[in-house]
Amino acid sequence: MAGPVKEWADKYEELTYKMSAHSFGLLSNEEKMKTISAYSSLFNSKGIDCSFDPYNPIIGYNLKDTTYEKCVMTHYAMIQKAGKMEANRFSVVDTIVDEEESKAAIFLEFGNTGRFRDKFTMRLAFRMKISDGKANGWHAVGDSYNLLPKEAETLAVQAPSTGAHMVLGAALLGLGFW
C-alpha cells in the first residue's frame, strides 16, 4: 500500500511526464499558466523554499519563505536565461520515498533535439518534504553547464589565472602600482 509521500511522488511524476512533451523556452504564456496550475495542486501556495543549482551565479536561484507562484516564475526566468531549446527526451531515473520522514527525492534525465542549441543530456535531482499531501517547495541540483547562455559558456571554459599572474599582481600591489 502506497503512503501519502509515494502518492504525491507518483502524481508529480505523472504531471512531469505530461509536461515534458513541451519545449523549454517555447511555451506560450497560456501554456505556462496551465503548467503552473497543474503543478500548483502539489505544493503549498506560500511559505515555501525553492532552489535550482543555488551556487550557480548565472542561472541558479535560492528562495526562502516565498510563494509557489514566485518560485515558478523564478524558475521560468532561469529557463529564459538558458535560452530556447527543444526537449525530446525525458525520463524518471529513480524515485526515493521516505514515508517516515515525509521526504521524496526524484532523479530526472532530459535531453534536447539540438534545435536552437547544441544537443545534450542532463540529469537533475529534486528533493521535497511533503506535509498534508503538499510539498513545501523543491531543491534541485544538476549539471547545469549546458543551460548556461552562450556568453557564460565562454567564461566557464577560460583557463584560470596562473600563479605567476597572482604573484605579479601582488608584487605590483605591494609596490604601489595598483
Side-chain angles (χ1 to χ4, degrees):
M1 182 171 108
V5 177
K6 174 69 171 133
E7 289 173 9
W8 185 93
D10 288 346
K11 286 181 202 170
Y12 178 85
E13 287 179 24
E14 178 186 340
L15 282 172
T16 304
Y17 271 119
K18 285 180 184 176
M19 300 319 297
S20 69
H22 294 287
S23 296
F24 298 172
L26 299 175
L27 296 177
S28 69
N29 284 335
E30 182 181 341
E31 288 172 316
K32 283 182 194 178
M33 296 318 290
K34 284 180 183 176
T35 303
I36 292 167
S37 177
Y39 278 100
S40 69
S41 67
L42 296 176
F43 294 88
N44 290 315
S45 61
K46 56 186 177 177
I48 68 172
D49 299 340
C50 58
S51 66
F52 176 86
D53 206 357
Y55 299 109
N56 181 321
I58 298 167
I59 63 170
Y61 62 87
N62 189 17
L63 304 177
K64 305 275 186 201
D65 193 26
T66 191
T67 64
Y68 172 77
E69 183 177 355
K70 175 75 173 168
C71 284
V72 169
M73 297 317 257
T74 301
H75 192 76
Y76 276 116
M78 179 275 300
I79 291 171
Q80 286 181 318
K81 284 182 197 174
K84 287 185 179 183
M85 66 185 89
E86 185 175 55
N88 68 341
R89 283 190 40 196
F90 175 83
S91 64
V92 174
V93 177
D94 198 7
T95 302
I96 300 169
V97 171
D98 185 335
E99 293 289 351
E100 192 172 302
E101 293 287 324
S102 297
K103 294 179 181 178
I106 301 174
F107 298 83
L108 308 173
E109 183 174 283
F110 76 90
N112 70 334
T113 63
R115 184 176 178 209
F116 303 114
R117 67 180 310 126
D118 292 341
K119 189 174 183 176
F120 68 88
T121 299
M122 178 180 181
R123 283 201 174 169
L124 296 165
F126 284 83
R127 68 177 173 82
M128 299 87 161
K129 176 121 173 110
I130 314 303
S131 179
D132 297 324
K134 294 196 181 256
N136 68 350
W138 64 84
H139 299 284
V141 292
D143 181 7
S144 58
Y145 173 78
N146 286 303
L147 297 179
L148 293 173
K150 289 293 182 194
E151 60 275 6
E153 283 181 18
T154 302
L155 292 174
V157 296
Q158 286 182 347
S161 295
T162 66
H165 288 111
M166 287 189 250
V167 170
L168 178 61
L172 290 174
L173 178 64
L175 295 172
F177 289 108
W178 211 262

